[in-house]
Coordinates of all heavy atoms in Angstrom, one line a residue:
L215 N -23.2 18.6 -51.9 CA -22.0 18.0 -52.7 C -20.8 18.9 -52.7 O -19.6 18.3 -52.8 CB -22.6 17.8 -54.2 CG -21.7 17.0 -55.1 CD1 -21.5 15.5 -54.5 CD2 -22.3 16.8 -56.4
I217 N -19.6 20.4 -50.2 CA -18.7 20.2 -48.9 C -18.3 18.8 -48.7 O -17.4 18.7 -47.8 CB -19.5 20.7 -47.7 CG1 -20.8 20.0 -47.4 CG2 -19.8 22.3 -47.7 CD1 -21.5 20.2 -46.1
L218 N -18.8 17.9 -49.3 CA -18.4 16.5 -49.2 C -17.1 16.3 -49.9 O -16.8 16.7 -50.9 CB -19.5 15.5 -49.8 CG -20.8 15.5 -49.1 CD1 -21.8 14.5 -49.8 CD2 -20.7 15.1 -47.7
A219 N -16.3 15.2 -49.3 CA -15.0 15.0 -49.8 C -14.8 13.4 -49.6 O -15.4 12.8 -48.7 CB -13.9 15.7 -49.2
C220 N -14.0 12.9 -50.4 CA -13.6 11.4 -50.3 C -13.0 11.3 -48.9 O -11.9 11.9 -48.6 CB -12.7 11.1 -51.4 SG -12.1 9.3 -51.3
P221 N -13.4 10.2 -48.1 CA -12.8 10.0 -46.8 C -11.4 9.5 -46.9 O -10.5 9.6 -46.0 CB -13.7 9.0 -46.2 CG -14.9 9.1 -46.9 CD -14.7 9.5 -48.3
A222 N -11.0 8.8 -48.0 CA -9.7 8.1 -48.2 C -8.6 9.3 -48.6 O -7.6 9.1 -48.1 CB -9.9 7.0 -49.2
C223 N -9.0 10.1 -49.5 CA -7.9 11.0 -50.0 C -8.3 12.5 -50.0 O -7.5 13.3 -50.3 CB -7.7 10.6 -51.5 SG -8.9 11.1 -52.6
H224 N -9.5 12.8 -49.5 CA -10.0 14.1 -49.5 C -10.2 14.9 -50.7 O -10.4 16.2 -50.6 CB -9.1 14.9 -48.5 CG -8.9 14.2 -47.1 ND1 -9.9 14.0 -46.3 CD2 -7.8 13.6 -46.6 CE1 -9.3 13.3 -45.2 NE2 -8.1 13.0 -45.4
A225 N -10.3 14.2 -51.8 CA -10.6 14.9 -53.1 C -12.1 15.2 -53.1 O -12.9 14.5 -52.6 CB -10.1 14.0 -54.2
P226 N -12.5 16.0 -54.0 CA -14.0 16.3 -54.2 C -14.7 15.1 -54.8 O -14.0 14.3 -55.5 CB -13.9 17.5 -55.3 CG -12.6 18.1 -55.2 CD -11.7 17.0 -54.8
L227 N -15.9 15.1 -54.6 CA -16.7 13.9 -55.2 C -17.7 14.5 -56.2 O -18.1 15.6 -56.2 CB -17.6 13.3 -54.1 CG -16.9 12.7 -52.9 CD1 -17.8 12.4 -51.7 CD2 -16.1 11.4 -53.3
K228 N -18.1 13.6 -57.1 CA -19.0 14.0 -58.2 C -20.1 13.0 -58.2 O -19.8 11.8 -57.8 CB -18.4 14.1 -59.6 CG -17.9 12.8 -60.1 CD -17.4 12.9 -61.5 CE -16.9 11.6 -62.1 NZ -16.4 11.6 -63.4
E233 N -24.2 6.8 -57.0 CA -23.0 6.8 -56.3 C -22.4 8.2 -56.3 O -22.7 9.0 -57.1 CB -22.0 5.8 -57.1 CG -22.5 4.3 -56.9 CD -21.4 3.6 -57.6 OE1 -20.9 3.8 -58.7 OE2 -21.2 2.4 -57.2
L234 N -21.4 8.4 -55.4 CA -20.5 9.5 -55.4 C -19.2 9.1 -55.8 O -18.6 8.1 -55.0 CB -20.6 10.2 -54.1 CG -21.9 10.8 -53.6 CD1 -21.8 11.5 -52.2 CD2 -22.4 11.9 -54.6
I235 N -18.6 9.6 -56.9 CA -17.3 9.1 -57.3 C -16.2 10.1 -56.9 O -16.4 11.3 -57.1 CB -17.4 9.0 -58.8 CG1 -18.6 8.2 -59.3 CG2 -16.1 8.3 -59.4 CD1 -18.6 6.7 -59.0
C236 N -15.2 9.5 -56.4 CA -14.0 10.4 -56.1 C -13.4 10.8 -57.4 O -13.2 10.1 -58.2 CB -13.0 9.6 -55.2 SG -11.5 10.5 -54.9
T237 N -13.0 12.1 -57.5 CA -12.4 12.7 -58.6 C -10.9 12.6 -58.8 O -10.4 12.9 -59.8 CB -12.7 14.2 -58.7 OG1 -12.3 14.8 -57.6 CG2 -14.3 14.4 -58.8
A238 N -10.2 12.1 -57.7 CA -8.8 11.8 -57.8 C -8.5 10.6 -58.7 O -9.1 9.5 -58.5 CB -8.3 11.7 -56.4
C241 N -7.3 7.4 -56.8 CA -8.2 6.9 -55.8 C -9.4 6.2 -56.6 O -9.5 5.1 -56.7 CB -8.6 7.9 -54.8 SG -9.7 7.4 -53.5
G242 N -10.4 7.1 -56.9 CA -11.5 6.8 -57.7 C -12.5 5.8 -57.1 O -13.3 5.2 -57.7
L243 N -12.5 5.8 -55.7 CA -13.5 5.1 -55.0 C -15.0 5.5 -55.3 O -15.2 6.8 -55.5 CB -13.2 5.1 -53.5 CG -12.0 4.4 -53.1 CD1 -11.9 4.7 -51.5 CD2 -12.1 3.0 -53.3
A244 N -15.9 4.7 -55.3 CA -17.3 5.1 -55.6 C -18.1 4.7 -54.3 O -18.2 3.5 -54.0 CB -17.9 4.2 -56.7
Y245 N -18.7 5.8 -53.7 CA -19.5 5.5 -52.5 C -20.9 5.5 -52.8 O -21.5 6.3 -53.6 CB -19.2 6.6 -51.6 CG -17.8 6.8 -51.2 CD1 -16.8 7.6 -51.9 CD2 -17.3 6.1 -50.1 CE1 -15.5 7.6 -51.5 CE2 -15.9 6.1 -49.7 CZ -15.0 6.9 -50.5 OH -13.7 6.9 -50.1
P246 N -21.7 4.5 -52.2 CA -23.2 4.4 -52.6 C -24.0 5.6 -51.9 O -23.5 6.1 -50.9 CB -23.5 3.1 -51.9 CG -22.5 2.9 -50.8 CD -21.2 3.5 -51.3
P252 N -25.6 9.8 -48.5 CA -24.3 9.2 -48.9 C -23.7 8.3 -47.8 O -23.6 8.7 -46.6 CB -23.5 10.4 -49.1 CG -24.4 11.6 -49.1 CD -25.7 11.2 -48.4
V253 N -23.2 7.2 -48.2 CA -22.5 6.3 -47.3 C -21.1 6.4 -47.5 O -20.5 5.8 -48.4 CB -23.0 4.8 -47.5 CG1 -22.3 3.9 -46.5 CG2 -24.5 4.8 -47.3
L254 N -20.4 7.3 -46.8 CA -19.1 7.6 -47.0 C -18.1 6.8 -46.0 O -17.3 7.3 -45.3 CB -18.8 9.2 -46.8 CG -19.6 10.1 -47.8 CD1 -19.3 11.5 -47.5 CD2 -19.2 9.7 -49.2
L255 N -18.2 5.5 -46.2 CA -17.3 4.7 -45.5 C -16.4 3.9 -46.5 O -17.0 3.3 -47.5 CB -18.2 3.6 -44.8 CG -19.1 4.2 -43.6 CD1 -20.1 3.1 -43.1 CD2 -18.4 4.8 -42.6
V256 N -15.2 3.9 -46.2 CA -14.2 3.3 -47.2 C -14.5 1.8 -47.4 O -14.4 1.3 -48.4 CB -12.8 3.5 -46.8 CG1 -11.8 2.8 -47.6 CG2 -12.5 5.0 -46.7
D257 N -15.0 1.2 -46.3 CA -15.3 -0.3 -46.4 C -16.5 -0.6 -47.2 O -16.7 -1.6 -47.8 CB -15.5 -0.8 -44.9 CG -14.3 -0.8 -44.1 OD1 -13.2 -0.8 -44.6 OD2 -14.5 -0.9 -42.9
E258 N -17.4 0.4 -47.4 CA -18.6 0.3 -48.2 C -18.4 0.6 -49.8 O -19.2 0.5 -50.6 CB -19.7 1.2 -47.7 CG -20.2 0.7 -46.4 CD -21.2 -0.6 -46.4 OE1 -21.8 -0.8 -47.4 OE2 -21.0 -1.3 -45.5
A259 N -17.3 1.3 -50.0 CA -16.9 1.9 -51.2 C -16.6 0.8 -52.3 O -16.0 -0.3 -51.9 CB -15.9 2.9 -51.2
R260 N -16.9 1.1 -53.6 CA -16.6 0.2 -54.7 C -15.2 0.6 -55.2 O -15.0 1.9 -55.5 CB -17.8 0.1 -55.7 CG -17.5 -0.7 -56.9 CD -18.6 -0.6 -57.9 NE -18.9 0.8 -58.4 CZ -18.2 1.4 -59.3 NH1 -17.2 0.9 -59.9 NH2 -18.6 2.7 -59.7
R261 N -14.3 -0.3 -55.5 CA -13.1 0.1 -56.0 C -13.2 0.3 -57.5 O -14.1 -0.3 -58.1 CB -12.1 -1.1 -55.8 CG -11.8 -1.4 -54.3 CD -10.8 -0.5 -53.7 NE -10.6 -0.7 -52.4 CZ -10.2 0.1 -51.5 NH1 -9.8 1.3 -52.0 NH2 -10.0 -0.2 -50.3

Side-chain angles (χ1 to χ4, degrees):
L215 193 56
I217 62 171
L218 293 178
C220 176
C223 69
H224 309 290
L227 298 169
K228 66 177 180 177
E233 294 181 319
L234 294 177
I235 311 292
C236 177
T237 58
C241 181
L243 292 174
Y245 298 93
V253 181
L254 298 178
L255 299 171
V256 175
D257 292 341
E258 293 282 330
R260 178 178 57 81
R261 299 277 176 205

